[in-house]
Amino acid sequence: MLYAGFMSATVPPFPTPQEPFDKPQLLKVGSAPDDPCLRADAARNRARLLEAATRLIAEHGVAGVTMEAVASAAGVGKGTVFRRFGDRTGLLMALLDHSARTLQADFLGGPPPLGPGAPPADRLRALGTALLYRHAEQLDLLLAAQSEPTRRHSHPTAGALHMHTAMLLRQIVPGADCELLAHTLMAYLDPALIHHLTRQRGMPLERLEAGWNDLVARMTGTDPLR
C-alpha cells in the first residue's frame, strides 16, 4: 500500500470536504487486468503472473516470491515479470491492489459508518478499524512490500487514505493542521507497528482497536463510545 516508482498509477482528484460523496470515485492504485490500456495478451500475462505469485505465497510464504520464481511458475521469461511490475515491490503491491480497491470503494460509497452517511468521527473510527484488521490479515505481504521506507508515503494508496483521513478531520476539527494530524493517525496503523505489538508483544487486535478509538477521541475531542 505504500510506495511509488514500481508501477505507474494516476490518482484522480480526491473530493474536497465541500463536495458530496453521493457519487463514489474509485481511486486507481495500479494497473488492473481490466484497464483498457492493457492489450488482451498483456492482461492475460499479468493475471498468470499474479496467480503464480499467489500460489508461491500459499506454498512457501512471501519469502518464496521472487521475480525468478514467479516467472518460472508462470512459464514466462523473467524479463516479462520485470516489464509488468518493475521490481519485486511492485509485484507484491499488485497482489495487494484488490483489497485496497475494495476498501476504497467501501469508504467512498459503501454503507455507513465506513461509507457516507455517518458522522465524520464515526467514519474515522470505522476507517481505522477496517485498516487495522486488513493489515493484520495481510501483515507478511505488507511488510515484504515495505522494503524501502522512503517510498512508503508516496504510493497512491497511501495518498488516498491520507487525503480521506484529512478530509474527515477537517469536518471534525476545522482550523487544525489536519494534514499532519492525518499522518499521525495513519502512523498508528503502520504494518511494522502492528507486527511489533501483535506478534512480538502479544497484544490482541481488540486492544489495538480500543487504542485507535481512544486516539481518535483524544485527537478530535469526540466521545469514543458515541
Side-chain angles (χ1 to χ4, degrees), residues 84-99:
R84 178 55 57 204
F85 301 106
D87 58 17
R88 183 173 182 266
T89 297
L91 173 61
L92 296 176
M93 288 305 303
L95 290 170
L96 293 167
D97 261 6
H98 176 70
S99 62

Side-chain angles (χ1 to χ4, degrees), residues 107-125:
F107 71 65
L108 285 174
L114 184 56
D122 291 350
R123 296 189 67 192
L124 185 57
R125 283 189 283 270

Side-chain angles (χ1 to χ4, degrees), residues 134-164:
R134 172 178 173 266
H135 286 180
E137 180 181 357
Q138 301 176 330
L139 196 52
D140 291 334
L141 186 55
L142 284 164
L143 290 175
Q146 285 191 341
S147 56
E148 296 186 38
T150 57
R151 298 164 64 183
R152 182 179 308 172
H153 298 289
S154 54
H155 184 265
T157 299
L161 289 170
H162 175 266
M163 284 188 284
H164 183 64

Side-chain angles (χ1 to χ4, degrees), residues 42-124:
R44 285 193 295 269
N45 281 340
R46 186 179 191 278
R48 286 173 57 195
L49 293 170
L50 292 177
E51 290 170 3
T54 300
R55 290 198 306 272
L56 288 172
I57 289 178
E59 296 169 1
H60 307 291
V62 177
V65 179
T66 65
M67 304 297 266
E68 295 81 359
V70 171
S72 177
V76 301
K78 184 171 66 174
T80 300
V81 188
F82 280 98
R83 283 192 299 273
R84 178 55 57 204
F85 301 106
D87 58 17
R88 183 173 182 266
T89 297
L91 173 61
L92 296 176
M93 288 305 303
L95 290 170
L96 293 167
D97 261 6
H98 176 70
S99 62
R101 287 169 178 268
T102 300
L103 178 64
Q104 289 175 5
D106 287 343
F107 71 65
L108 285 174
L114 184 56
D122 291 350
R123 296 189 67 192
L124 185 57

